[in-house]
Amino acid sequence: MTSIPHTTTRRNVLIGATATAIPLLGTGAAHAATPRGGTGPHVGVLLYDGYSLLDPTGPAEILSRLPGATVTMVAQERGPVRTDTGDVAVLAERSIDEVDRLDVLLVPGAGNRGTVGAMNNDALLGWIRRVHRHTAWTTSVCTGSLVLAAAGLLDGRRATTYWASAAYLESTFDVTYLPRRYVRSGRIVTAAGVSAGLDMALYLASLIADEETARAIQLAVEYDPRPPFDSGDAAQAGPELKERALRLLAQSQV
Amino acid sequence: MTSIPHTTTRRNVLIGATATAIPLLGTGAAHAATPRGGTGPHVGVLLYDGYSLLDPTGPAEILSRLPGATVTMVAQERGPVRTDTGDVAVLAERSIDEVDRLDVLLVPGAGNRGTVGAMNNDALLGWIRRVHRHTAWTTSVCTGSLVLAAAGLLDGRRATTYWASAAYLESTFDVTYLPRRYVRSGRIVTAAGVSAGLDMALYLASLIADEETARAIQLAVEYDPRPPFDSGDAAQAGPELKERALRLLAQSQV
């Protein structure tokens, strides 16, 4: 029942739009000619227990396509770090003690438990403050902005966060909340909830490289979003939908 | 330099829009009342060497919010499975030998090396065929549709895939390519490149649960996409942008 294509054609399943692109899609030669990593930005993504899976992985997918980029998952200790659902774990390749310089720091958001845990983790907050001194861009997704705020990085700044955390952010910290997909304040860029990290990462790509590179990365990940529904904007959502959304989140989290 | 909010307020950083939502966002009680997992769909995500990070993680983020859902990362062997860039690894919690029944199977896409590897891996293809016999939904993201096709699941069907793989899909298999974000053919749903998995996952959520649940999940992950650029549609992209996109992909992959 299996279709068996010519193995020769299987050497390249990505037929480039242009002949010159095809050789690069071979596996060996392309990389001998264009070794990756180390020559571009070093992006560090902080993982902590209970983060939301898409928060770190969406931006990592996009920023990893920057020329020469290196993406490193960092946590308090090396090893698997579980998401808010407890079902999935991404491997932290380095501990915070092993990482002191990054071009880009990204702090993801989490459920209530994970966010509170990170906000009360002095080791993580101290590391964020130390690394931030030398970053080109310090960034967050979703409630990651609460972690940046707890580290003192957002004092007096404008920022965004997860829609359901906006009131907490403004009432707890000296921060002005802006209901945008991402907000730049100096070299700090905060993104709204979960999926907003994708939009922020493309913006960061244009700042780190240039707009043409960012546009090419958007095409590389075919980011032409067409959700089947139009209910992602909290400003347009009624109380029942908001309650249902928060209930689903709470019930899915451990 | 750190702002120190009252620890009492840190018990709940997600202030729900409605009073009734707030109790669910406490950490302990909510889960005693609403244990998660096992009562809803069992989603299995197949990981294989060289997959693209967002392909499995975007849909996993969304489908994990379905009531009672369980998401399991599956690979030929248990353990960390590296992405196409080699920088990041997600943990496979189960080997294919340990999983024979799934409500939803999701096969992510990969770079050229990873896709070709999976298409030529008879153990993976055989497992996909076996599991597919009993799934409610068998799905793919990006070049994952080539893996489904290599397993013989797309014979005579309409499907989508990564824009740069469309010609290969149609020329190699008995498949009609449709340039859409996702295509349903019976109980098989294929998504276009990388980020299209998010749109497909919301569609799947509406099929598995209902539209109101899918809309609530869209709000839960604040999926109100607003990319800073509008270059994600290959049909609108010129040859230079396509070449640049494919070059960035090739250079970022190991």
Side-chain angles (χ1 to χ4, degrees):
Chain A
M1 85 187 257
T2 308
S3 304
I4 303 296
H6 297 167
T7 51
T8 50
T9 66
R10 288 204 180 170
R11 290 181 188 149
N12 192 330
V13 298
L14 303 183
I15 304 303
T18 64
T20 55
I22 292 175
L24 281 174
L25 293 168
T27 49
H31 298 290
T34 58
R36 66 168 300 284
T39 63
H42 187 185
V43 178
V45 178
L46 178 63
L47 299 181
Y48 55 88
D49 186 36
Y51 65 94
S52 300
L53 182 59
L54 183 56
D55 291 30
T57 55
E61 171 70 55
I62 287 172
L63 296 175
S64 70
R65 309 309 176 183
L66 284 165
T70 303
V71 174
T72 304
M73 296 291 174
V74 184
Q76 191 155 6
E77 307 293 340
R78 286 192 189 193
V81 185
R82 295 215 166 264
T83 62
D84 56 350
T85 67
D87 285 343
V88 178
V90 175
L91 195 66
E93 311 274 345
R94 293 285 182 271
S95 73
I96 56 176
D97 295 339
E98 298 174 291
V99 177
D100 57 3
R101 294 293 177 104
L102 291 170
D103 298 307
V104 180
L105 168 63
L106 186 139
V107 178
N112 193 76
R113 177 183 60 87
T115 302
V116 170
M119 292 171 73
N120 289 318
N121 184 325
D122 291 333
L124 287 189
L125 299 182
W127 179 79
I128 289 169
R129 281 191 292 269
R130 286 195 302 278
V131 169
H132 171 65
R133 292 195 195 112
H134 303 288
T135 57
W137 302 103
T138 296
T139 71
S140 66
V141 178
C142 201
T143 60
S145 59
L146 301 181
V147 181
L148 294 186
L153 270 54
L154 299 186
D155 293 350
R157 294 184 182 273
R158 304 194 305 174
T160 190
T161 187
Y162 186 52
W163 61 267
S165 300
Y168 179 87
L169 177 67
E170 284 207 311
S171 65
T172 308
F173 300 101
D174 174 23
V175 175
T176 302
Y177 167 73
L178 297 181
R180 299 183 190 160
R181 290 297 276 178
Y182 49 84
V183 173
R184 175 184 172 183
S185 173
R187 58 191 178 89
I188 297 178
V189 185
T190 52
V194 192
S195 60
L198 294 167
D199 297 335
M200 179 184 75
L202 284 173
Y203 171 66
L204 285 171
S206 71
L207 296 174
I208 294 167
D210 53 61
E211 182 172 322
E212 274 312 292
T213 299
R215 289 181 178 276
I217 292 174
Q218 183 176 7
L219 181 59
V221 298
E222 205 163 349
Y223 186 41
D224 178 37
R226 300 177 185 274
F229 312 110
D230 183 27
S231 56
D233 180 3
Q236 305 296 322
E240 285 187 12
L241 186 65
K242 288 180 175 178
E243 176 178 347
R244 189 189 290 251
L246 296 172
R247 192 181 297 269
L248 285 171
L249 270 183
Q251 293 177 348
S252 67
Q253 293 166 342
V254 292
Chain B
M1 86 187 260
T2 309
S3 304
I4 303 296
H6 297 168
T7 51
T8 50
T9 67
R10 286 202 181 172
R11 291 181 188 151
N12 193 329
V13 299
L14 302 184
I15 305 303
T18 64
T20 55
I22 293 175
L24 281 174
L25 292 169
T27 49
H31 299 290
T34 57
R36 65 167 302 281
T39 62
H42 188 187
V43 179
V45 178
L46 178 63
L47 300 180
Y48 55 88
D49 186 36
Y51 66 95
S52 299
L53 183 59
L54 183 56
D55 291 28
T57 56
E61 171 70 56
I62 287 173
L63 297 175
S64 70
R65 308 310 176 182
L66 285 165
T70 304
V71 174
T72 304
M73 296 290 176
V74 184
Q76 190 154 8
E77 307 293 341
R78 287 193 190 194
V81 185
R82 295 213 167 265
T83 63
D84 56 352
T85 67
D87 285 343
V88 178
V90 174
L91 194 66
E93 311 274 346
R94 293 286 181 271
S95 72
I96 55 176
D97 294 338
E98 298 175 289
V99 176
D100 57 5
R101 293 294 177 103
L102 293 170
D103 298 306
V104 180
L105 168 63
L106 186 139
V107 178
N112 193 76
R113 176 182 60 87
T115 303
V116 170
M119 291 171 73
N120 289 319
N121 184 325
D122 291 333
L124 286 189
L125 299 183
W127 179 78
I128 289 169
R129 281 191 291 268
R130 287 195 303 277
V131 169
H132 171 65
R133 292 195 195 111
H134 304 287
T135 57
W137 302 103
T138 297
T139 70
S140 66
V141 178
C142 200
T143 58
S145 58
L146 300 181
V147 180
L148 293 186
L153 271 54
L154 298 187
D155 292 351
R157 294 185 182 272
R158 304 193 304 174
T160 190
T161 188
Y162 187 51
W163 61 267
S165 299
Y168 179 87
L169 177 66
E170 283 207 312
S171 64
T172 308
F173 300 102
D174 174 25
V175 175
T176 301
Y177 166 74
L178 298 180
R180 299 184 190 160
R181 290 297 276 176
Y182 49 84
V183 172
R184 175 183 171 183
S185 172
R187 57 191 178 89
I188 297 178
V189 185
T190 53
V194 193
S195 61
L198 294 167
D199 297 335
M200 177 183 74
L202 284 173
Y203 171 66
L204 286 171
S206 71
L207 296 175
I208 295 166
D210 53 62
E211 182 173 323
E212 274 312 293
T213 299
R215 288 180 179 277
I217 292 174
Q218 183 175 7
L219 181 59
V221 299
E222 206 165 346
Y223 186 41
D224 178 37
R226 300 177 186 275
F229 311 110
D230 182 27
S231 56
D233 180 3
Q236 304 296 322
E240 286 187 11
L241 186 64
K242 288 179 175 178
E243 175 178 346
R244 190 188 291 251
L246 295 173
R247 192 181 299 268
L248 286 171
L249 270 183
Q251 293 177 349
S252 67
Q253 293 165 341
V254 293

